[in-house]
Amino acid sequence: MKKFSLGTFSLKANPQQRFAGLVIDAKVIPVSRVAEEFGVDILREKSVLSLLENWNASYAALESIVNKVITSSWYDENQLTFRPAVDLPRQVFCTGANYRKHVVDLTVDSNVGPEGLSKEELRTWAEDMMDDRVANGEPYVFTKPVSAISGAYDDLVLPPTTSKPDWELELAVVIGKEGYNIRVEDAMDYVAGYTIVNDISARDLIPRTDYKMLGTDWLRSKGQPGFLPLGPYLVPKQFVEDPHNLSMQLTVSGKTMQDETTADMLFGIEQQIAYITKYAKLLPGDVICTGSPAGNGTHYNRFLRDGDIMVGTIAGLGAQRQNCISHSG
């Protein structure tokens, strides 16, 4: 079977009209047009979200036709504007502090830990803490407003509220059916596929300094417009052999900042789904951002600024590209 993916697009010549697109070898056609050509009613007039609402049947219908299509008359990607691949999910969940080296680096860089330790001793302490957390702890999850979502190639306008906008390249899991109290061993049955997100974060807005007992403020630090580029594609899980072993790279203005694999996750996708659904119901089209690897701006003391070009890539899922623009521009 031909490998395919989905996305949400509009023609550059008609930017107001969005459509769910079937993507094969960088050629795109509206799913509704394929439905007409092959008489597949379940695919008629569908958004990506509506396809996900009945994902098993939608996938089976797409699978039945992809080897029959001829793509020569389809749109080239350069004719299209890429919208968020899932336009728009109802819920976004983010798993924080979920990459071992990332958390250890943050601990050392921030000098958070027992007093009197050298950097080497602090690193060992943090590594031991991560081992204990995996053995005895749980994922740490928060939500992010869907209004933060943008397209994979949209400009990122750096807001005036922060002087430390940071990047966090992440593998995103897209949910294909409703679930609550899902067992770890059943969790992957609820996954439709994968995409890329970048959990942009205002580092200086995370801690609440007016009342420290409040701890972290994820609304102001992660919820601002454009703070979650999503896409370019939704790749069905059938085409991702091992989501826990995907290479990830992010560059800022040509310099590699993140270069890791998803194997460094502390809690895998199944554990995250089980944890989230212990307390909340997952819905079709929901997105789970599974955490970011080491190499954030905090580590380098280098944050996003006007004129930066940010490129994030995950093997098999494509690449994102954002031009960073000052709010004053």
Side-chain angles (χ1 to χ4, degrees), residues 309-327:
I309 297 174
M310 185 167 47
V311 178
T313 305
I314 299 181
L317 304 183
Q320 299 186 342
R321 185 183 189 277
Q322 289 86 40
N323 296 324
C324 298
I325 301 173
S326 169
H327 67 279

Side-chain angles (χ1 to χ4, degrees), residues 159-223:
T161 52
T162 176
S163 60
K164 294 184 176 180
D166 201 352
W167 54 84
E168 291 193 12
L169 178 66
E170 305 195 19
L171 171 68
V173 175
V174 180
I175 297 301
K177 64 178 179 178
E178 182 178 307
Y180 184 56
N181 283 323
I182 298 170
R183 301 185 305 168
V184 168
E185 54 267 36
D186 299 327
M188 296 305 287
D189 294 340
Y190 292 79
V191 175
Y194 305 96
T195 189
I196 304 172
V197 292
N198 192 337
D199 179 22
I200 305 299
S201 304
R203 291 292 175 194
D204 48 344
L205 300 182
I206 293 176
R208 285 296 293 262
T209 56
D210 56 337
Y211 184 40
K212 291 185 179 181
M213 288 182 66
L214 290 173
T216 51
D217 191 328
W218 299 125
L219 172 66
R220 68 181 189 177
S221 62
K222 290 176 177 282

Side-chain angles (χ1 to χ4, degrees), residues 94-164:
C94 296
T95 303
N98 196 43
Y99 275 69
R100 179 186 176 88
K101 188 175 185 299
H102 168 63
V103 178
V104 170
D105 283 352
L106 281 178
T107 302
V108 175
D109 295 338
S110 305
N111 196 29
V112 177
E115 293 184 5
L117 298 183
S118 67
K119 278 202 169 187
E120 292 73 19
E121 291 170 332
L122 183 57
R123 182 170 294 277
T124 299
W125 176 83
E127 290 171 345
D128 291 342
M129 184 174 61
M130 289 304 98
D131 291 340
D132 180 69
R133 184 174 169 223
V134 169
N136 302 301
E138 296 178 309
Y140 173 60
V141 180
F142 56 92
T143 60
K144 187 158 180 163
V146 295
S147 58
I149 292 174
S150 61
Y153 307 123
D154 289 351
D155 292 341
L156 173 61
V157 178
L158 305 174
T161 52
T162 176
S163 60
K164 294 184 176 180

Side-chain angles (χ1 to χ4, degrees), residues 1-7 21-29 55 59 62-71 74 77 171 192-196 232-243 246-247 313-319:
M1 181 179 62
K2 290 179 182 176
K3 180 179 178 179
F4 67 89
S5 56
L6 296 169
L22 175 64
V23 186
I24 297 176
D25 296 331
K27 302 282 280 187
V28 181
I29 193 170
W55 177 244
Y59 178 81
L62 291 165
E63 185 181 42
S64 71
I65 64 176
V66 291
N67 285 327
K68 304 173 186 176
V69 298
I70 298 172
T71 62
W74 292 15
E77 290 185 339
L171 171 68
Y194 305 96
T195 189
I196 304 172
Y233 313 108
L234 165 60
V235 178
K237 67 181 179 184
Q238 288 82 353
F239 305 120
V240 179
E241 183 176 351
D242 184 1
L246 300 175
S247 62
T313 305
I314 299 181
L317 304 183

